[in-house]
Amino acid sequence: MHSSSPGGRRTENLQELVEEAPGEMLAVELDVTDRESVDRAVAAAVERFGRLDALVNNAGLMLAGMVVGANTDEWVRMVETNLLGSMFVAHAALPHLVETHGAFVQVSSTSGRIASAGAAVYSATKFGITAFAEAVRQEVTSRGVRVVVVEPGFVETELTDHTTDPVMRDAADQIGQSMRTLQPEDIADAIVFALTQPEHVSINELLVRPTDQVH
């Protein structure tokens, strides 16, 4: 049985996960934009299980919209969550991963490879976190830590529901209806594949698109 510690702001959802999933689990309240919250969550996991073998950084927020006429408060929220938040969690976890020769998995996006109109700031955060993860890889690979960047294409999640621009939400809905989208389990399987490779094998990048997705 594996032990894990999912973290997020909606603790009621996490508790459901704890009750359904096999193995020992610890749900921790976590706001990645709050450095003290991040430190507490990582410390709680290490205290409970005695070590940290892997981090999966998956927090993300997509508030799609054009740059012209944008509400720049939404830009701040995306930068704080997608970029700084992920960096804060990595900073807190990496000393423990160095101790265990563990793995750091950063979920980015195809938007971290190809920018598009309507997703300028979201893409900027994903380009940024991909770059951050690569720099971390160069820093810690000699210390036995494997760094994996996972870049999903269109996944059927609530991510697009965060968008406040009705035009952009409609566009996202139409894209989702036009293809056989990925499911969250598809990305989970890709992460497990990367984490279960032999210790001398480091899969540094996984680009996972729906077969039907062109860009």
Side-chain angles (χ1 to χ4, degrees):
M1 286 291 186
H2 298 288
S3 302
S4 60
S5 182
R9 291 181 298 177
R10 292 173 294 182
T11 54
E12 66 279 2
N13 291 356
L14 295 179
Q15 195 55 46
E16 290 179 9
L17 179 63
V18 167
E19 293 170 0
E20 294 174 3
E24 185 180 358
M25 300 187 74
L26 170 69
V28 293
E29 186 172 358
L30 170 61
D31 179 353
V32 298
T33 67
D34 181 338
R35 280 174 281 182
E36 291 184 358
S37 174
V38 168
D39 291 342
R40 285 195 301 270
V42 171
V46 173
E47 181 179 359
R48 173 68 173 273
F49 302 116
R51 57 187 288 147
L52 185 65
D53 293 292
L55 165 69
V56 179
N57 240 349
N58 190 45
L61 180 67
M62 183 169 69
L63 301 171
M66 297 298 182
V67 171
V68 176
N71 176 355
T72 54
D73 288 341
E74 294 188 343
W75 296 3
V76 174
R77 289 181 60 196
M78 282 190 284
V79 170
E80 287 181 341
T81 301
N82 302 355
L83 185 53
L84 278 175
S86 294
M87 292 163 66
F88 291 155
V89 178
H91 177 263
L94 277 168
H96 303 287
L97 297 176
V98 168
E99 288 184 6
T100 60
H101 291 179
F104 165 35
V105 179
Q106 177 61 57
V107 178
S108 181
S109 171
T110 52
S111 293
R113 298 170 64 98
I114 303 171
S116 59
V121 180
Y122 178 73
S123 292
T125 64
K126 292 301 184 177
F127 268 83
I129 200 58
T130 298
F132 175 80
E134 168 57 19
V136 169
R137 185 195 67 79
Q138 294 179 29
E139 180 178 335
V140 300
T141 188
S142 63
R143 304 178 73 177
V145 178
R146 296 185 291 181
V147 176
V148 183
V149 175
V150 181
E151 298 158 302
F154 205 99
V155 184
E156 188 176 321
T157 69
E158 62 183 28
L159 187 65
T160 56
D161 296 343
H162 301 151
T163 298
T164 58
D165 184 324
V167 175
M168 299 305 300
R169 286 188 64 169
D170 288 345
D173 289 343
Q174 290 175 15
I175 293 172
Q177 293 168 12
S178 71
M179 68 177 75
R180 296 166 293 172
T181 57
L182 298 173
Q183 299 301 306
E185 293 82 0
D186 299 323
I187 304 306
D189 288 344
I191 292 171
V192 171
F193 170 74
L195 289 177
T196 53
Q197 294 303 301
E199 190 172 316
H200 70 287
V201 177
S202 184
I203 297 177
N204 301 131
E205 187 176 24
L206 280 169
L207 174 61
V208 187
R209 291 187 179 103
T211 302
D212 302 335
Q213 182 174 335
V214 176
H215 300 294

